[in-house]
């Protein structure tokens, strides 16, 4: 006949095993629920976008046709046009901030940021080069001045995107890119934007240690994302 202490230990072990199995079942259920929600959101991402590719191409083209090599005037024309169409969803306060990502350095002016889209003016007057990053969103680069060059392994010639053209970096793809001096672009990303922020922060945390710029970038991005979320735009 087993002793009372042995029975007690066996009962505790059985109870502990039941708790673990219960916890694993709950975790499995939550994981399945989260995966289902993400799948449904992914299938319906297009319903959250407020910009169309045709619209941005048209706005950029008309600004270039009207103002040519005057990049400041091109940018103002684009901002005014988009603000007339999208109102408060476009930031008209021209507040530039440095951006270090993938080894490249330039400056950006955030026009719009949400969970599913961002729209910025990005560029540099003196040139830069780096890694595009491998992102959870499609990225559309409308060149406003200068050229952007891109390279993929195995090719022997660069991809060259002059002013007036658009470079599409598909979600999940990666390239080396270069922006020679005086290159500026209207950059539009659509997909899952928050995971892209890690790439944007990595150079600051591992190299530049420019925390004032990191704080300003975070403030400007969060202000846009939270504001658009409160307006019902994701």
């Amino acid at each position: 006949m087993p002793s009372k202490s042995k029975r007690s230990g066996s009962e505790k072990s059985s109870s502990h095993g039941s708790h673990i199995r219960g916890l694993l079942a709950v975790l499995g259920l939550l994981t399945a629920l989260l995966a289902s929600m993400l799948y449904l959101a992914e299938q319906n991402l297009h319903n959250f976008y407020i910009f169309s590719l045709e619209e941005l191409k048209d706005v950029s083209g008309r600004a270039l046709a009207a103002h040519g090599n005057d990049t400041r005037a091109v940018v103002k024309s684009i901002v005014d046009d988009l603000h007339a169409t999208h109102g408060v969803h476009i930031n008209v306060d021209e507040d530039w901030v440095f951006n270090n990502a993938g080894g490249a350095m330039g400056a950006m002016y955030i026009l719009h940021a949400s969970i599913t889209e961002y729209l910025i003016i990005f560029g540099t007057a003196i040139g830069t080069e780096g890694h595009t990053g491998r992102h959870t969103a499609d990225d559309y680069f409308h060149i406003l001045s200068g050229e952007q060059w891109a390279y993929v392994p195995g090719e022997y010639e660069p991809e060259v995107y002059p002013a007036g053209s658009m470079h599409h970096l598909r979600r999940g793809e990666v390239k080396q890119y270069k922006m020679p001096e005086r290159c500026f672009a209207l950059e539009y990303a659509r997909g899952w934007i928050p995971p892209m922020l890690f790439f944007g922060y990595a150079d600051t945390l591992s190299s530049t240690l420019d925390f004032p710029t990191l704080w300003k970038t975070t403030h400007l991005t969060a202000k846009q994302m939270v504001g658009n979320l409160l307006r019902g735009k994701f």
Side-chain angles (χ1 to χ4, degrees):
M1 180 175 180
S3 68
K4 185 180 292 185
S5 61
K6 286 184 178 179
R7 287 201 305 271
S8 176
S10 177
E11 288 169 358
K12 286 181 179 178
S13 176
S14 177
S15 175
H16 182 64
S18 296
H19 285 314
I20 291 178
R21 286 193 294 272
L23 180 60
L24 290 174
V26 170
L27 289 175
L29 182 62
L30 290 175
T31 300
L33 182 61
L34 179 60
S36 298
M37 291 173 62
L38 287 175
Y39 176 78
L40 288 173
E42 174 70 26
Q43 299 305 306
N44 291 279
L45 268 181
H46 60 279
N47 293 322
F48 300 117
Y49 302 145
I50 67 173
F51 303 103
S52 74
L53 302 180
E54 295 75 16
E55 171 192 22
L56 297 178
K57 180 180 178 181
D58 178 61
V59 167
S60 300
R62 285 191 284 108
L64 283 168
H67 302 287
N69 294 325
D70 188 345
T71 308
R72 187 181 298 275
V74 169
V75 170
K76 186 177 186 309
S77 175
I78 289 172
V79 174
D80 290 346
D81 251 4
L82 292 173
H83 183 254
T85 305
H86 298 283
V88 294
H89 299 295
I90 294 296
N91 173 32
V92 295
D93 298 324
E94 191 172 350
D95 196 354
W96 289 83
V97 61
F98 272 130
N99 178 259
N100 289 82
M105 182 175 185
M108 66 178 178
Y109 161 25
I110 302 174
L111 303 181
H112 175 90
S114 68
I115 295 173
T116 57
E117 294 175 292
Y118 77 66
L119 186 66
I120 66 174
I121 304 294
F122 177 78
T124 171
I126 62 174
T128 192
E129 180 181 2
H131 189 291
T132 61
R134 197 180 297 275
H135 299 302
T136 51
D138 283 278
D139 190 88
Y140 302 87
F141 230 71
H142 299 267
I143 310 302
L144 305 178
S145 67
E147 290 182 341
Q148 185 192 46
W149 304 345
Y151 170 74
V152 293
E155 296 296 328
Y156 289 92
E157 296 294 332
E159 300 171 13
V160 178
Y161 299 93
S165 67
M166 188 269 289
H167 177 198
H168 178 199
L169 180 69
R170 291 174 176 79
R171 178 164 60 169
E173 293 186 356
V174 64
K175 297 180 182 180
Q176 177 188 10
Y177 79 99
K178 182 175 183 176
M179 299 173 72
E181 62 182 35
R182 296 184 180 85
C183 180
F184 288 86
L186 175 69
E187 181 182 358
Y188 172 56
R190 53 160 49 176
W192 295 110
I193 303 304
M196 299 177 71
L197 299 178
F198 296 106
F199 178 73
Y201 289 163
D203 275 18
T204 298
L205 298 175
S206 64
S207 177
T208 69
L209 303 181
D210 182 5
F211 295 113
T213 290
L214 180 66
W215 163 249
K216 185 175 181 181
T217 300
T218 303
H219 171 72
L220 292 174
T221 304
K223 181 180 177 181
Q224 284 284 312
M225 283 188 166
V226 173
N228 283 307
L229 191 60
L230 292 175
R231 298 181 192 107
K233 299 297 181 182
F234 299 93

